[in-house]
Amino acid sequence: MGIYKISTIGEIIKDNSYVGRGIIIGKSRNGEKAVTAYFIMGRSENSRNRVFIKQGDEVIIHPFDASKVEDPSLIIYSPVRTVKNSLIVTNGDQTDTIYDFINDGKTFEQALETREFEPDKPNFTPRISGILNFNGNEFDYKLSILKSADENGSACNRYTFNYSPLNGLGHFIHTYNCDGNPIPTFTGEPERVEIPDDIDEFTDDIWNNLNEQNKISLYVRYIDLESGEYCDRMINKNK
């Protein structure tokens, strides 16, 4: 199979204690659904003090215990927003940048040219972003990562991956390769993952294989390409 090998998401993450934040986008095996998932993990008390909340068609992140918030700038944002015929999924407030640019008739790439990795030295956490663009009962999608060019944060390298959906195939990008100090940034192309037809099967495979100590929240959405209607699942470790 080589470069065309497809793994389940569970196989990819089960033995990795810290992949950080992750975005998956793809198409269900039967070809009927556009699929996306976003999860967050955390090692510090500040990072773990979060929950996903639905607000209409969008998702926002709130502190679970507001009294424990140390620095809200990097932990509170909207990871999922809709604009025109697109769905945006990101790991930071670049969601709003992309939203504003597309609303103004500009592009995903133009929006991300104005942003860079997070200023959390020494990790310089990458900003990862995804977008699904719908056209009738068809769609395409993109994934992006903005990451530091070196260990000093001297410059930002920007990578965008464009995809034509294939039945049963998704692509998974995450902020870190694994745990470490500093945490090693994700490298290479987004990983190829299986996208089953059943949303609960996919949700369980992600949640049950994320590291128990470090996982925080997960959101999964399956969008019917014929009707445009969607079903979703949300899991928060903090309840």
Side-chain angles (χ1 to χ4, degrees), residues 66-124:
S67 68
K68 294 182 179 179
V69 175
E70 298 169 10
D71 178 5
S73 64
L74 295 178
I75 70 165
I76 300 174
Y77 57 90
S78 299
V80 179
R81 294 192 71 182
T82 56
V83 58
K84 296 185 176 179
N85 294 323
S86 298
L87 179 67
I88 307 162
V89 187
T90 91
N91 75 322
D93 64 9
Q94 72 268 27
T95 306
D96 298 333
T97 306
I98 298 167
Y99 179 98
D100 291 341
F101 269 65
I102 291 177
N103 217 24
D104 289 340
K106 299 176 183 177
T107 67
F108 179 72
E109 290 86 352
Q110 286 175 314
L112 292 170
E113 282 290 335
T114 71
R115 303 304 303 269
E116 59 179 31
F117 50 86
E118 296 177 7
D120 58 340
K121 187 177 180 178
N123 297 316
F124 298 118

Side-chain angles (χ1 to χ4, degrees), residues 14-58:
K14 66 180 179 179
D15 296 319
N16 192 333
S17 63
Y18 202 60
V19 293
R21 269 72 79 192
I23 299 171
I24 305 165
I25 303 178
K27 193 176 189 182
S28 62
R29 189 177 295 116
N30 60 17
E32 297 177 0
K33 305 288 196 302
V35 175
T36 189
Y38 178 63
F39 65 79
I40 59 174
M41 305 178 77
R43 301 189 306 174
S44 69
E45 184 176 12
N46 193 47
S47 290
R48 291 176 177 175
N49 182 35
R50 293 183 284 179
V51 290
F52 285 180
I53 298 173
K54 276 197 69 179
Q55 186 170 280
D57 287 337
E58 302 179 352

Side-chain angles (χ1 to χ4, degrees), residues 133-150:
N133 300 305
F134 295 92
N135 182 14
N137 59 359
E138 301 290 336
F139 79 107
D140 58 46
Y141 62 97
K142 300 177 182 181
L143 288 168
S144 163
I145 184 166
L146 314 180
K147 58 185 181 179
S148 179
D150 63 16

